[in-house]
Amino acid sequence: MIFPLIKVLKNGILVELDYMHPQEQEVVRALLNVVIIEGKTYPQKQPLSQAEFSAYWLSKDAFVVRTSGQDGTHKPKEILGAFYLKPNFPGRCCHICNAGFIVQPALRGQGIGRFMGEAMLLIAANLGYEAVMFNLVFETNIPSITLWQSLGFEIIGRIERAAKLEDEVVDALIMYRTLDLLTVDG
């Protein structure tokens, strides 16, 4: 695949999806910590230190969506969202990958998550993965469930009372999609 991948969002902003650069790690860690503190989608309870973030997010491949810088201005590129992609299991099962996604809170609903999800499927297939599995999609995370189902994921399991959120205990869904139907070019 050739990076960056370029897209125009619903709001007209031109963005690019690319591998995360080292100088972007702290911005992504800060965004992940915002999402963790929100307490609605990730299992962690406390913000991650740099070492914890590196172990969790940077163990394999990490990507960002950023403003493209091709708009004629000389503004610095801004990180709008990010995701990681890594084997879900070791050894004989490493052909099944896992991914985690985050989007700037003020920019949710603009198509960034869909862009990352569609790109992740192509990237995963291109990297040789044969399936994607999400281990813990909280049942209250309706935007994610809707997105993943629209991209061909199936709910293959339910973990009862998996997440203790601020004001409720919720089940988590296990979602799965094979990648054998994808064609990869580039």
Side-chain angles (χ1 to χ4, degrees):
M1 294 185 71
I2 299 171
F3 292 94
L5 306 175
I6 306 294
K7 181 169 182 79
V8 177
L9 299 177
K10 293 177 186 177
N11 59 11
I13 296 174
L14 185 66
V15 298
E16 62 184 34
L17 186 148
D18 198 0
Y19 279 92
M20 183 169 59
H21 298 150
Q23 65 271 24
E24 295 171 323
Q25 290 178 11
E26 189 53 35
V27 173
V28 173
R29 182 174 78 94
L31 175 56
L32 177 60
N33 284 336
V34 166
V35 173
I36 289 169
I37 291 167
E38 285 176 341
K40 297 177 183 175
T41 58
Y42 273 78
Q44 292 87 349
K45 282 184 149 184
Q46 302 298 321
L48 301 183
S49 69
Q50 182 58 48
E52 291 166 330
F53 171 75
S54 292
Y56 179 68
W57 199 270
L58 304 177
S59 65
K60 191 68 175 157
D61 294 301
F63 301 87
V64 296
V65 171
R66 62 177 85 92
T67 53
S68 75
Q70 296 179 4
D71 58 2
T73 67
H74 296 288
K75 296 187 299 187
K77 295 180 180 184
E78 179 185 352
I79 302 297
L80 309 179
F83 69 96
Y84 66 79
L85 185 61
K86 60 186 174 184
N88 199 36
F89 307 105
R92 291 183 178 95
C93 300
C94 68
H95 59 283
I96 301 170
C97 67
N98 177 261
F101 298 80
I102 52 176
V103 175
Q104 292 283 358
L107 296 172
R108 293 176 186 156
Q110 298 298 315
I112 296 167
R114 176 166 294 279
F115 179 37
M116 290 191 297
E118 292 169 348
M120 178 276 298
L121 292 172
L122 291 172
I123 294 165
N126 193 55
L127 292 173
Y129 293 110
E130 297 174 19
V132 182
M133 182 173 171
F134 299 136
N135 305 317
L136 290 169
V137 181
F138 300 160
E139 68 179 352
T140 51
N141 190 351
I142 302 304
S144 288
I145 294 167
T146 302
L147 172 62
W148 300 129
Q149 288 181 320
S150 78
L151 292 177
F153 282 79
E154 295 180 38
I155 297 169
I156 62 167
R158 175 179 294 272
I159 304 167
E160 292 184 12
R161 302 180 52 81
K164 295 179 179 179
L165 305 183
E166 188 172 298
D167 54 357
E168 62 184 328
V169 178
V170 301
D171 293 356
L173 306 175
I174 302 168
M175 302 187 78
Y176 188 84
R177 184 192 193 281
T178 60
L179 298 175
D180 56 355
L181 301 176
L182 289 178
T183 57
V184 182
D185 55 10

